[in-house]
Amino acid sequence: MNAFFHAIAFFTRIPVPWLQPSEVAWKKSVNWYPAVGVVIGLLLWGVHQAGLYLFSPWLAAVLTLVVWVYITGGLHLDGWMDLADGLGSSRPKEQVLAIMKDSRVGAMGVLAAFLLLLIKAGGVSELAHPGWGMLLLFVPAAARTHVLLSIRLWPYLSADKGIGKGISEGLSPMSIIISYVLLLVAGWFLGGSHVIAAILISLVIALGFSRSVASKLGGLNGDCYGAVIESSEAVMLLVLAGSWWS
């Protein structure tokens, strides 16, 4: 369980006082990313339901998004902005990577974050229909399952010494298979074809997104993984909120 605690401590602001620092557990923590997504999803579901009880669907969605960003520490959002700044510069690969490492956020990063948060807030607001709130469970869980494939299928940027370096060493192919089986089975029983479609569509886009970025940079790094998670969550919400399900 120490690997799970490492994943919780890395991905969220949830206090984990019983965490025992270990490099081995840190590398194995990647297998628990989907489980952390479930924890985040449960929290967001509770916040969203409380918000709907007190406020309008739109305000409930905004408050849910505020908690979403806070509980994750804006970690993945930072990666999304860094990647947007780098790729948006239209510079050679070496300069793109240098821009991504810069702690300052540029105009492209700010714009990308604003548009992404707007999509996510709008998507959550559409989940105000009776019984739809539980679909929030699958959004962070699916995104953190998709990123396992990005970690597994594309090399980590060798010149990058970020916090994402080394996690692929502890990733088990069986854990990816188990995660998808559990995700799809739970999705079918709790949301039917609605959720299955969102999972599969976001998976295809996550793989295409990872492939496109890796082809430009020669691999992926922590910022890219964060961008995969953020974009997958946005796609999941767009599909779940689609009017064709009404």
Side-chain angles (χ1 to χ4, degrees):
M1 289 300 292
N2 195 37
F4 173 66
F5 297 147
H6 270 272
I8 287 285
F10 175 60
F11 266 129
T12 75
R13 291 179 179 269
I14 299 174
V16 191
W18 49 84
L19 175 68
Q20 299 177 2
S22 165
E23 184 178 351
V24 174
W26 157 249
K27 290 182 178 179
K28 290 184 177 179
S29 69
V30 65
N31 299 290
W32 291 94
Y33 287 3
V36 176
V38 173
V39 173
I40 295 172
L42 284 169
L43 178 62
L44 296 178
W45 181 22
V47 171
H48 186 234
Q49 293 306 298
L52 289 174
Y53 180 76
L54 298 170
F55 306 108
S56 68
W58 177 251
L59 186 52
V62 172
L63 292 175
T64 301
L65 192 58
V66 169
V67 173
W68 200 336
V69 173
Y70 174 78
I71 199 65
T72 58
L75 177 66
H76 317 306
L77 187 61
D78 180 68
W80 172 260
M81 290 189 291
D82 286 344
L83 186 62
D85 275 335
L87 295 182
S89 68
S90 300
R91 305 283 179 83
K93 183 181 74 172
E94 291 73 18
Q95 293 182 354
V96 168
L97 294 174
I99 291 171
M100 290 171 64
K101 291 179 181 179
D102 194 329
S103 60
R104 295 168 295 181
V105 180
M108 292 299 295
V110 172
L111 181 60
F114 174 77
L115 294 175
L116 178 80
L117 292 174
L118 196 60
I119 289 173
K120 293 177 78 171
V124 174
S125 71
E126 292 296 320
L127 301 183
H129 301 287
W132 281 30
M134 72 167 60
L135 301 184
L136 271 174
L137 284 169
F138 296 95
V139 177
R144 284 156 184 78
T145 305
H146 297 340
V147 80
L148 297 184
L149 286 175
S150 299
I151 294 170
R152 181 72 184 179
L153 297 177
W154 286 275
Y156 193 84
L157 288 169
S158 58
D160 195 294
K161 303 185 186 306
I163 55 179
K165 188 176 180 62
I167 58 175
S168 62
E169 299 173 14
L171 180 57
S172 164
M174 184 55 64
S175 70
I176 300 177
I177 295 172
I178 293 173
S179 295
Y180 271 110
V181 169
L182 293 175
L183 183 67
L184 292 170
V185 170
W188 177 258
F189 280 104
L190 295 178
S193 59
H194 192 171
V195 172
I196 299 300
I199 293 172
L200 295 180
I201 292 173
S202 61
L203 169 60
V204 171
I205 293 179
L207 292 175
F209 180 81
S210 298
R211 182 177 183 276
S212 176
V213 173
S215 68
K216 292 181 174 66
L217 302 182
L220 303 176
N221 61 9
D223 284 335
C224 301
Y225 299 151
V228 169
I229 290 174
E230 287 289 346
S231 58
S232 295
E233 289 177 340
V235 171
M236 281 283 293
L237 287 169
L238 283 172
V239 178
L240 291 174
S243 59
W244 49 84
W245 302 111
S246 301

